[in-house]
Amino acid sequence: MSVPALASNDFSDLPATHWAYADVMKATEAGYFEGTGNNKFSPAVTLGADQFVTLIGRVCYKDEIKSQAGDNWSAPYIRAAKEKGILTGTSLTDATMTKGISRYDMAVILTNAGKLLGATGGAASSSQINDFGDIPTKYVNAVLWAYGNGLLKGDEKDNFNGTKTLSRAEAAT
C-alpha cells in the first residue's frame, strides 16, 4: 500500500511556517499519512485511534498488511495490531476506535510497537515529567519507556497531559 509523495504546496492549510510542517511533509512523503481531501491536511483535527493504529502499521509493518473482503481502510491495520499485541494494555475497543486517541493509549501503542521492532532503550526518569503523579499506574511504564526512547515528549511545561487527545500534526511529529 503505497501513497504517492506529496509536494510541499499540496496542503493549503499547512503553511511552511507551521510548527509541524517539516514533520508532516516527511510523514506524507514516506506514505505514513495522507491529506484529508481538497488539498488539506487538517493539522488541528483530532486523530482517531483507527488513524493512529494505521499510522503505526504503515511505519512498522505495512508490507505485512493483507486486506480482506469487506474491509474498510483501517481494518487490516487494526487486525494486525491486535494480532501483534500492539493494542494490549490500551483502553481501546472496536466501539472507541474512531474516537480521539489519548496520549496514554498512544504511549502504550508506541511502546508495544517499539518493543515489537526490537527497540531496547531504557526508560526515562519520572523527574522529566512534571505531571508524572497524575499518570495512572497502568500507563506509567509505557510513558516512561516511550519518553526514554524518544518516541514522545511533553508540552512546553514538561507535562505529559495523558488524557489529551492527539491532533494530526502532533501525530506526524
Side-chain angles (χ1 to χ4, degrees), residues 10-89:
D10 277 347
F11 299 128
S12 62
D13 61 345
L14 191 74
T17 55
H18 189 278
W19 65 268
Y21 176 82
D23 291 320
V24 168
M25 297 320 302
K26 286 178 192 172
T28 55
E29 289 167 1
Y32 302 147
F33 253 103
E34 296 176 8
T36 56
N38 299 321
N39 295 329
K40 295 194 183 296
F41 183 77
S42 305
V45 169
T46 298
L47 190 78
D50 54 350
Q51 294 171 318
F52 189 72
V53 171
T54 298
L55 171 64
I56 295 301
R58 287 176 177 166
V59 171
C60 298
Y61 48 84
K62 71 178 179 177
D63 295 334
E64 300 173 38
I65 298 300
K66 305 285 186 254
S67 294
Q68 297 175 0
D71 275 351
N72 70 11
W73 61 270
S74 65
Y77 294 98
I78 293 169
R79 186 171 44 253
K82 288 177 181 177
E83 291 169 2
K84 293 177 178 298
I86 289 175
L87 301 181
T88 301

Side-chain angles (χ1 to χ4, degrees), residues 54-134:
T54 298
L55 171 64
I56 295 301
R58 287 176 177 166
V59 171
C60 298
Y61 48 84
K62 71 178 179 177
D63 295 334
E64 300 173 38
I65 298 300
K66 305 285 186 254
S67 294
Q68 297 175 0
D71 275 351
N72 70 11
W73 61 270
S74 65
Y77 294 98
I78 293 169
R79 186 171 44 253
K82 288 177 181 177
E83 291 169 2
K84 293 177 178 298
I86 289 175
L87 301 181
T88 301
T90 69
S91 65
L92 300 173
T93 65
D94 289 339
T96 62
M97 201 54 76
T98 59
K99 298 189 183 334
I101 186 167
S102 74
R103 289 177 51 83
Y104 289 134
D105 285 334
M106 177 194 69
V108 172
I109 289 170
L110 288 170
T111 298
N112 291 343
K115 289 179 177 180
L116 177 74
L117 293 173
T120 58
S125 166
S126 61
S127 65
Q128 293 178 260
I129 307 168
N130 283 339
D131 61 348
F132 182 79
D134 297 336

Side-chain angles (χ1 to χ4, degrees), residues 147-167:
Y147 262 75
N149 285 274
L151 297 175
L152 54 83
K153 62 182 182 176
D155 64 15
E156 65 280 352
K157 295 180 182 176
D158 293 326
N159 290 310
F160 177 61
N161 300 309
T163 59
K164 184 179 175 220
T165 56
L166 202 61
S167 73

